[in-house]
Amino acid sequence: MEEIEFYLDAAKETMDGAMKHLTIELAKIRAGKATPAMLDGIQVEYYGMMTPLTGAASIATPDARSIVVKPFEKKMIAEIEKAIRNSNIGLAPMNDGEVIRLNLPPMTEERRKELVKKAKTEIETAKVNVRKVRQDANDSIRKLKNDGVSEDAIKAGEERVQKLTDNYITKVEAVFVEKEKDIMSV
């Protein structure tokens, strides 16, 4: 049935979006290694407009324990430093007049466990989102009964939605296993 395929494709697309969102959120959870993604979401005032940090500076990771932020314009260094301080990412910026350095302290076992809990929360949110998509797709497929679609076709569509959901839940759990291993490795 054409209509059922449409709802399955829409569900797959939305579940892909949930996976992308999960990846972005997990990238913000630092696992002991410095990544430019840790500064995603930080906004800085640049020529009167709030701009992502990447729009006002280049961000590099010279080693696993530090991040270097080099403003495109020297006059922006104080504004960028202030934005990093106010972002609550838990890193103290060091300004040498040219660049801002962020050093990541080594993580304690307790902090690692906290980060695993935070990652688990993001995983659960992703699972809920995937299940919500399943519910919406099933509701849409059931409404096709009013349009004359057979019970068997509706049942088959619901089964395909469930298989799709199971597939994405498995992917989400695999992402968690990887992230947990990443966080807990010293």
Side-chain angles (χ1 to χ4, degrees), residues 31-170:
K33 294 181 211 74
T35 64
M38 294 169 66
L39 302 180
D40 285 355
I42 296 178
Q43 300 274 319
V44 63
E45 191 169 333
Y46 193 49
Y47 288 108
M49 289 180 54
M50 292 309 284
T51 307
L53 183 58
T54 54
S58 63
I59 302 169
T61 52
D63 58 60
R65 293 266 179 238
S66 63
I67 300 173
V68 175
V69 180
K70 184 170 178 35
F72 297 141
E73 299 175 30
K74 275 189 182 178
K75 67 179 183 174
M76 289 298 299
I77 201 158
E79 192 68 39
I80 291 171
E81 183 180 12
K82 183 176 133 192
I84 292 170
R85 257 187 229 292
N86 295 339
S87 68
N88 294 328
I89 58 170
L91 299 175
M94 293 180 291
N95 176 351
D96 69 5
E98 296 282 322
V99 296
I100 297 171
R101 296 186 193 286
L102 302 165
N103 291 318
L104 277 71
M107 288 200 298
T108 63
E109 184 73 16
E110 185 179 314
R111 178 70 178 139
R112 289 179 190 278
K113 287 179 181 173
E114 270 179 44
L115 291 176
V116 168
K117 282 183 187 173
K118 192 172 179 183
K120 186 74 173 163
T121 302
E122 292 299 333
I123 294 297
E124 289 306 317
T125 301
K127 285 181 180 180
V128 166
N129 290 339
V130 167
R131 290 181 186 124
K132 213 178 284 182
V133 172
R134 174 190 61 193
Q135 184 64 47
D136 292 346
N138 281 339
D139 290 348
S140 297
I141 289 171
R142 285 185 201 116
K143 287 179 185 171
L144 292 175
K145 187 176 181 184
N146 300 337
D147 296 341
V149 176
S150 73
E151 287 277 337
D152 290 342
I154 289 172
K155 197 80 170 149
E158 288 177 339
E159 286 172 8
R160 289 180 61 199
V161 169
Q162 185 58 49
K163 281 183 186 170
L164 186 67
T165 303
D166 292 344
N167 184 14
Y168 276 89
I169 295 292
T170 302

Side-chain angles (χ1 to χ4, degrees), residues 4-17 133 137 164:
I4 292 175
E5 288 302 320
F6 171 78
Y7 290 123
L8 282 167
D9 289 344
K12 184 180 184 324
E13 200 173 299
T14 309
M15 288 180 188
D16 280 337
V133 172
L164 186 67

